[in-house]
């Protein structure tokens, strides 16, 4: 599982305060904790309308002072992501492009010929498609553009867009997003499937339990990358357990190592 | 999910002590807690070589004093189960028969023409078959006998036998038992699939996480009945969440009701 640590995000009130006050110690502490907890990328999102790039540079500098874990440059603006790439010491994750406007061209052009990876959301100018077939049409568009810019599938993390469970009706549950994941993975076995798993539990009580159950079901359908809090050690334990059950960890060696390293099971 | 409460079992040291000392208050307290936590059956297993039937009668009497939840009469001896049925005020669950010896004939004959349900383990005189195909052969034998005794599939809980994950090798994970579950459910949509979910985590640390992840994956393959501790409220929460994700709970109504009733999320 590729873990994209979600905690350096200006939409989280405590982090917004740290960004506003340029409280470098807070940011560094969170970055260090995410790195120690096994994050593969540390997502950096300023979540600001004004001064976004300056804040991103400051955040990225903070993170890079305490860890070598690559950065996920995260902004709703593809142009901000392109600029933020320049602040990074090493290739990271471009978060994100989508079928909207010229985002695919701008983002893929920026990472073409580099080692950067990229998150592609399956939405377009019509919004978030309601059916699996329509999301897969956006996917086809993403892959056609990726080919044009010579971006190999294993550098692409497809986010099929996880929506809240509490409004699912007519026996649908999560079947649509699971179908999208399954079909994508069948077509491109080396592609990554990612998502913000906590979206699933919006408006429900005991969100962690819902997030955990969803993560297990999504992994079964091909999810191998996810945006979440790596300090949620129960979720990490369940991810290692699920990998063993899906046949990706013979004799539970990885599960046991992760446990011994304190990745889950013990408060560090 | 049909919950078979596992706590009244002489293989649990504290319960063995209560049985030895005929500590009725302890047994009643546990039975009451299991019932309040939503158990559909309360499993009663004396786990004794000598005096088993007498102990089962005493245990069943204790349980029936405090709750109307039906009993699962549980013994490795099919004859003890037949005798224990007589101690029950209402039809419950016969736990269990298997392909060994004359167990199918003895057990099915006893419940034929009644409203008792039955657990059937997919093992036979050769032991626990190693391949899915061989377990399915035992299944075919079970179903042929069930037809002979006029036991409808919806009264049968098939236990495909969940084995410990820590010895799974060669990328197998849980694929074999998942295949058995899937094929059985395809053939008989109304049959129940059950199992002792905690077997999966034997010899691993943080067993609860492994049990939870397994339960979610097994439910995805058809598990709709299980032997576990209903006081494990996190597992119950994940089960309700998984049912919603699998499209069995529109708008998360059941999840929300169960939460409000304190089935998970809050210590009662």
């Amino acid at each position: 599982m590729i873990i994209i640590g979600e905690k350096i995000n200006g939409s989280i009130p405590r982090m917004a305060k740290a960004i506003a006050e340029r409280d470098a110690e807070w940011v560094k502490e969170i970055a260090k904790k995410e790195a120690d907890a096994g994050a593969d990328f540390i997502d950096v999102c300023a979540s600001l309308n004004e001064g976004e790039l300056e804040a991103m540079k400051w955040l990225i500098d903070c993170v890079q002072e305490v860890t070598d874990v690559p950065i996920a440059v995260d902004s709703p603006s593809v142009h901000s992501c392109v600029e933020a790439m320049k602040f990074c010491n090493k290739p990271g994750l471009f978060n994100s492009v989508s079928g909207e406007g010229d985002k695919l061209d701008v983002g893929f052009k920026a990472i073409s010929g580099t080692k950067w990876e990229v998150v592609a959301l399956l939405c377009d100018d019509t919004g978030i498609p309601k059916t699996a077939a329509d999301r897969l049409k956006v996917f086809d568009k993403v892959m056609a553009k990726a080919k044009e810019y010579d971006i190999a599938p294993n550098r692409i993390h497809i986010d099929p867009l996880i929506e809240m469970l509490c409004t699912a009706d007519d026996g649908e549950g999560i079947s649509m997003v699971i179908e999208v994941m399954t079909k994508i993975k069948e077509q491109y076995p080396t592609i990554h499937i990612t998502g913000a798993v906590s979206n699933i539990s919006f408006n429900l009580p005991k969100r962690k339990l819902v997030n955990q159950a969803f993560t297990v079901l999504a992994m079964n359908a091909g999810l191998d990358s996810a945006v979440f809090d790596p300090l949620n050690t129960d979720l990490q334990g369940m991810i290692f357990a699920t990998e063993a059950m899906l046949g990706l960890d013979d004799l539970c060696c990885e599960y046991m190592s992760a446990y011994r390293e304190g990745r889950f099971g013990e408060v560090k």
Side-chain angles (χ1 to χ4, degrees), chain A:
Chain A
M1 172 66 74
I2 298 166
I3 301 173
I4 305 165
E6 71 180 3
K7 292 179 77 78
I8 299 185
N9 194 309
S11 67
I12 300 168
R14 182 63 185 86
M15 188 56 67
K17 182 169 180 282
I19 295 170
E21 296 171 358
R22 292 295 191 265
D23 177 357
E25 290 315 306
W26 179 259
V27 175
K28 286 185 204 174
E29 189 186 324
I30 298 289
K32 183 98 178 40
K33 279 186 181 168
E34 289 196 303
D36 288 348
D40 296 289
F41 294 99
I42 293 183
D43 195 83
V44 171
C45 177
S47 209
L48 286 173
N49 291 321
E50 281 182 39
E52 184 195 26
L53 263 186
E54 194 193 335
M56 280 188 89
K57 178 167 190 334
W58 174 78
L59 285 166
I60 290 168
D61 286 346
C62 288
V63 174
Q64 293 184 144
E65 266 186 52
V66 294
T67 176
D68 286 332
V69 174
I71 306 284
V73 293
D74 182 355
S75 169
S77 157
V78 73
H79 298 286
S80 295
C81 290
V82 172
E83 289 305 309
M85 285 171 69
K86 299 170 190 163
F87 310 144
C88 299
N89 295 338
K90 59 160 76 164
L93 182 65
F94 191 105
N95 188 11
S96 59
V97 296
S98 76
E100 289 173 281
D102 61 355
K103 284 187 172 184
L104 287 171
D105 278 302
V106 174
F108 284 173
K109 187 176 173 195
I111 69 161
S112 185
T114 73
K115 293 198 164 174
W116 279 75
E117 300 182 21
V118 61
V119 173
L121 314 180
L122 297 189
C123 56
D124 61 14
D125 293 316
T126 66
I128 300 178
K130 294 210 187 314
T131 65
D134 285 343
R135 288 197 199 183
L136 289 166
K137 272 185 205 157
V138 182
F139 173 68
D140 291 341
K141 186 175 158 188
V142 169
M143 298 314 288
K145 278 286 177 199
K147 199 171 174 189
E148 208 175 293
Y149 288 97
D150 197 25
I151 318 277
N154 67 5
R155 289 172 59 200
I156 303 173
H157 300 238
I158 297 292
D159 183 342
L161 297 172
I162 297 159
E163 293 170 292
M164 60 178 126
L165 178 63
C166 64
T167 55
D169 204 353
D170 294 325
E172 188 186 25
I174 59 168
S175 58
M176 196 268 268
V177 78
I178 292 290
E179 181 187 343
V180 174
M181 291 181 182
T182 307
K183 291 205 166 147
I184 287 173
K185 206 75 177 184
E186 275 169 12
Q187 264 184 279
Y188 294 92
T190 64
I191 213 165
H192 302 294
I193 310 271
T194 195
V197 295
S198 59
N199 287 1
I200 193 77
S201 59
F202 192 70
N203 266 344
L204 289 173
K206 294 300 283 180
R207 297 186 63 175
K208 278 190 181 181
L209 299 178
V210 182
N211 296 346
Q212 288 167 357
F214 175 75
T215 303
V216 173
L217 289 174
M219 287 175 73
N220 188 49
L223 185 95
D224 65 348
S225 163
V227 180
F228 66 90
D229 176 3
L231 306 181
N232 179 345
T233 54
D234 278 358
L235 180 54
Q236 284 219 46
M238 289 189 60
I239 288 170
F240 279 102
T242 302
E243 285 174 341
M245 291 189 214
L246 295 179
L248 305 170
D249 176 15
D250 283 349
L251 303 171
C252 297
C253 295
E254 298 287 337
Y255 182 88
M256 292 303 304
S257 299
Y259 173 73
R260 278 191 295 261
E261 287 163 15
R263 292 275 295 270
F264 63 90
E266 307 297 334
V267 178
K268 290 204 216 190

